[in-house]
Amino acid sequence: MVDALARALGPSAVTAIVNVGDDLEFLGLQVSPDLDTVVYTLAGLLDEERGWGVRDETTNALATAERLGGESWFMLGDRDIGLHLVRTSALRSGEPLSTVTARISAALGVETRLLPACDERVRTMVATPAGELDFQSWFVGRRHTDPVVGVRFEGAGAASPAPGVLQALAEADRVLIAPSNPFVSIDPILAVPGIRAAVAERRMDAVAVSPIVGGRALRGPLAEMLGGLGHEPSALGVARLYADLVSTFVLDPADAVLVPTIEALGLRAVVVPTVMVDPLEREEIGRGVVEALT
Amino acid sequence: MVDALARALGPSAVTAIVNVGDDLEFLGLQVSPDLDTVVYTLAGLLDEERGWGVRDETTNALATAERLGGESWFMLGDRDIGLHLVRTSALRSGEPLSTVTARISAALGVETRLLPACDERVRTMVATPAGELDFQSWFVGRRHTDPVVGVRFEGAGAASPAPGVLQALAEADRVLIAPSNPFVSIDPILAVPGIRAAVAERRMDAVAVSPIVGGRALRGPLAEMLGGLGHEPSALGVARLYADLVSTFVLDPADAVLVPTIEALGLRAVVVPTVMVDPLEREEIGRGVVEALT
């Protein structure tokens, strides 16, 4: 959605505040999968088939690490590792994540501003019947097969919004909550003290885009998670979660039937295509969303 | 020479004590170029054309790091980085270098025992007219163009021989000083307290192989360094350096003329081919050296 908006509005008109709760330390590398997916997408480097990592990638480092008995359950390509090495060295030398991110973005020609939610370490921890797991161990390591009975954000209480985050939220024409998983992608951002309040402050200009279309998640196990955590597994269930933060809810034509129920929550419901099957559709989807909100 | 002897005697009949003064931290990775060259050679993975690194290698990680403004002056391939990631993680978690090295060797099917001279950090520092440089900054970073006016081994005084080193020196049938640079490859091993004395103790069974043939170094800038440090730039100059440590000096037929002068130092001079142009010659060279010493 960041790319869609950046294409529709121009790359420097958008600031993306990105989740760091999915970050992990793997083979001694500081990996920030959400930041990296956004930066690779905006830089035109993303492997669009897989939806993560760099295109034309090789995996010789990880294959060697595996042969030598090192960790190998998380997939890192060689080009990707080049980025992680630069970030890890910078963080170890004391550079904040937000500064490293800005440097990496600039080096890749990305004009959209990317801000991690915070510079501190926050880890999304998922409670399952098999015990608590960090996000990536649950999502990648165990292929999100364990039902989720709770989520918490380790370290969030002691974190502060990264430089620029509160200002961006205060000054933006619109605040848009992307169609991501509310529990494990959006909540870890909102859990950083000050961010939820800053979004709520902008409620009249704030918009959420439904990550559920026709009862199915655009990506990942969100529908199951909504059900498991006691919510309705539909765009309506998501709209309820955001009703105190946004005044507008964008949903796909497939869910037009939900408009009255969503408006009954005190939200304006806007119906516009949001499903991007092909990256080439992104600009069109972005324009549609922008026009619908103007 | 380790590979030549391992081929001639059988891989498990040889223990290699390897220099760690060339080690460096690069992009946050703990790199041990000498250990790695030995392990890659013995595992049959070495890029024989270059003489370092792994064959069929890609360099996508380093190219990415360079694009992102990271360090890129030291060449690391992707497969090589996989090894460095495993080693770096293990060292950070407190595992000694000797143990990591044994694990990596075993994983690659290497039967020859490889021992770092010590588990502690030792750094070969080279004094030049442009100031003091760590070994790799001088050798790779500045392509060893600065004349060497002195060498010291930072950290060596506080180091101890790695487990197995003194026992291997005491129990081996023969102790062989490989045809490497005495100042920056052999001396940093001997500088670890206890090792020089342990070699001297075996002087009657100890042998050095000349790294200089026909006045030229088998590899690297040794001839210039001998001259710069006030020694004769020949096999004789090297023989003088080792006269108190070994009783036998092996030199190439190209230097047979030096035999009487070397024997005048109280050394037995053994003339046998030592120059390995092709890896296929290694076993033959190894056998030749072994037979000459029997």
Side-chain angles (χ1 to χ4, degrees), chain A residues 27 58 60-61 78-79 89 92, chain B residues 27 58 60-61 64 78 89:
Chain A
L27 278 172
T58 52
N60 290 322
D78 295 328
R79 294 177 204 276
S89 295
R92 273 219 184 88
Chain B
L27 279 172
T58 53
N60 289 321
T64 303
D78 295 328
S89 296

Side-chain angles (χ1 to χ4, degrees), chain B residues 57-258:
Chain B
E57 184 61 296
T58 53
T59 55
N60 289 321
L62 196 71
T64 303
E66 182 166 23
R67 185 171 175 189
L68 300 178
E71 292 182 289
S72 60
W73 61 271
F74 195 83
M75 187 60 215
L76 295 181
D78 295 328
R79 295 177 205 275
D80 200 28
I81 284 175
L83 184 152
H84 302 317
L85 286 168
V86 169
R87 173 167 46 219
T88 305
S89 296
L91 293 176
R92 275 221 183 86
S93 74
E95 195 176 343
L97 180 60
S98 51
T99 315
V100 187
T101 302
R103 258 196 321 118
I104 289 173
S105 298
L108 294 177
V110 171
E111 293 172 57
T112 297
R113 191 158 62 135
L114 302 190
L115 301 175
C118 57
D119 281 327
E120 296 82 0
R121 185 182 185 281
V122 170
R123 288 295 180 270
T124 299
M125 304 297 292
V126 175
T128 76
E132 192 177 58
L133 300 165
D134 65 271
F135 179 81
Q136 298 296 354
S137 296
W138 169 73
F139 190 78
V140 176
R142 298 169 63 105
R143 294 159 186 263
H144 48 77
T145 47
D146 305 86
V148 174
V149 297
V151 181
R152 70 181 179 97
F153 309 107
E154 196 176 275
S160 311
V165 166
L166 294 183
Q167 196 182 0
L169 288 171
E171 296 179 356
D173 291 333
R174 295 273 180 180
V175 172
L176 185 139
I177 298 181
S180 296
N181 187 310
F183 306 110
V184 295
S185 300
I186 304 298
D187 269 0
I189 300 176
L190 299 173
V192 175
I195 295 187
R196 179 181 289 276
V199 176
E201 189 84 18
R202 298 300 310 277
R203 182 172 183 273
M204 294 317 294
D205 301 304
V207 181
V209 179
S210 179
I212 297 266
V213 171
R216 295 179 56 188
L218 291 176
R219 179 179 294 180
L222 172 58
E224 300 81 332
M225 209 185 282
L226 278 161
L229 292 167
H231 304 274
E232 185 170 314
S234 71
L236 175 63
V238 177
R240 281 198 187 109
L241 292 171
Y242 292 138
D244 56 340
L245 287 176
V246 304
S247 54
T248 303
F249 194 79
V250 173
L251 65 172
D252 198 80
D255 287 324
V257 66
L258 295 173

Side-chain angles (χ1 to χ4, degrees), chain A residues 217-231:
Chain A
L218 293 176
R219 179 178 296 180
L222 172 58
E224 298 81 333
M225 210 185 284
L226 278 161
L229 293 167
H231 303 275

